[in-house]
Amino acid sequence: MLWLSLISLIAGLFKPVLVLWFLDRFNRLKVIKVYGGMALFWLLLSVLFSVF
């Protein structure tokens, strides 16, 4: 899921409509908020599980 979030983040920075098709407005800031937040969540979750 982390890799999928990062790939979507990168794709959305080039063309936001590809990954934000479900919203009414497409811009790069929303891409960073949605997919950047998901990527951080999955990264922190994987770090926590690798430590414990």
Side-chain angles (χ1 to χ4, degrees), residues 7-9 11-13 15-22 31 35:
I7 291 169
S8 298
L9 177 67
L13 290 177
K15 196 155 184 147
V17 71
L18 292 176
V19 294
L20 293 178
W21 52 269
F22 53 88
V31 170
Y35 290 102

Side-chain angles (χ1 to χ4, degrees), residues 1-2 6 37-50:
M1 291 304 289
L2 173 64
L6 289 175
M38 284 176 38
L40 281 176
F41 171 76
W42 290 113
L43 179 66
L44 289 174
L45 195 65
S46 66
V47 167
L48 283 175
F49 278 116
S50 68

